[in-house]
Amino acid sequence: MLNQLLLYCRSGFENECAAEAMAKAEAVGLAGFVKAKPRQGWVLLNLYQPDGALLLQQQPFKQWIFARQWVACLPLLNQLPVTDRVTPIVEAVKQLPQCGIVQIEMPDTNDGKSLQSLTRKITSPLIQALKKASCLTAKDNLKMPTLHVFFISGTSVLVGISPANNHSPWRMGIPRLKLPKQAPSRATLKLEEAWHTFIPKAKWDQQLAADMTAVDLGAAPGGWTWQLVRRGMRVYAIDNGPMAEDIMATGLVEHVRADGFTYQPKQVVDWLVCDIVDKPARVTAMIAQWLINGWCKATVFNLKLPMKQRWQAVVNAKTVLTEALHQANLKRHQIQIRQLYHDREEVTVYIGP
Ligand SMILES: C[S@@+](CC[C@H](N)C(=O)[O-])C[C@H]1O[C@@H](n2cnc3c(N)ncnc32)[C@H](O)[C@@H]1O
């Protein structure tokens, strides 16, 4: 019986993840309740329907905003003997379908970090025991479910599964991106992560092509522009602040000192990206105008979330953007919203084909 769905999230966003979980369950006619403690980096959705978690996992994971990973899990295993944690974990895992790979994980919090040496130590003996018990295939098989062993303390663990090709492919739901040395700001990683998250790698050459044009609103000092230029695009960088010299030296960037909220492009561009920190409703209304006027073909932008009613702010933004796509008659465009690992008090939105 897999009626619990474990959701990993950014620490501090448990309430938003819980609100999202309840909304997703309700949308498919499932009832339940969420257990969420502040700043623990995960929430647990309990569904009244046996195997409710598996039913929910039939929906697309990429439409979740605050959940970094989802795991249909067994009841909590606690009081694991510190002398042998492996045996009870394997016994529990025997109730699950065979998996093709295992992720041994913990919450993305300071408490979680203190479990790193334990998870490192247990990895090899646990994998061996899981393979011996045929809980795991002998060789990694990404077409089979992923087994998650999620330590919440040294003696308690949640174990469960996520479906192949409908989950986050990254351990703990976190992509490990390296800050490129030449990039002018750390913010560069937000756009890079957005592409990894929203655009399948096989489509990068087509959707992030060298002959494309882009507008970057709130571009300075140029971390996002740097990503666009790295793909060979020509970029209009809109910001009253200074752009990094190196990026201007590429000859691919035109720096326009203007207000991003009133700037209009001279011709249609392939990409509009925007990292201006302002009220989400104001940014959303501006992006909606770009879509309705057909000024860009695709967009990635950030929404800085207010302190309160953050879930509602995201729901409102989605409503406005859905209406804009409808008005623009962009039937094949999709809206994806996600709190990326490199996002703090914000979410990133992708709208494109
Ligand atoms: C978070 S920073 C952008 C960082 C940038 N994406 C990067 O990767 O380096 C926000 C930028 O928005 C700019 N900004 C704020 N309000 C703006 C507006 N109304 N029009 C244009 N730029 C604006 C600020 O000057 C600031 O440089």
Side-chain angles (χ1 to χ4, degrees), residues 248-262:
M248 297 310 297
T250 60
L252 285 170
V253 182
E254 188 176 321
H255 182 190
V256 183
R257 292 180 187 274
D259 180 358
F261 287 99
T262 52

Side-chain angles (χ1 to χ4, degrees), residues 211-246:
D211 56 353
M212 287 183 160
T213 51
V215 165
D216 182 357
L217 302 177
W224 286 31
T225 295
W226 187 86
Q227 290 290 344
L228 297 158
V229 165
R230 179 152 83 152
R231 299 295 303 172
M233 295 188 207
R234 296 192 65 82
V235 185
Y236 298 91
I238 320 302
D239 203 307
N240 279 315
M243 294 292 288
E245 278 171 22
D246 287 2

Side-chain angles (χ1 to χ4, degrees), residues 183-191 216-227 237-243 256-263 273-278 282 286 302 346:
S185 66
R186 273 198 74 78
T188 198
L189 292 175
K190 285 193 281 183
L191 188 57
D216 182 357
L217 302 177
W224 286 31
T225 295
W226 187 86
Q227 290 290 344
I238 320 302
D239 203 307
N240 279 315
M243 294 292 288
V256 183
R257 292 180 187 274
D259 180 358
F261 287 99
T262 52
Y263 172 83
V273 300
C274 173
D275 191 19
I276 295 177
V277 178
D278 209 303
R282 188 167 184 229
M286 182 263 292
N302 269 346
E346 60 203 339

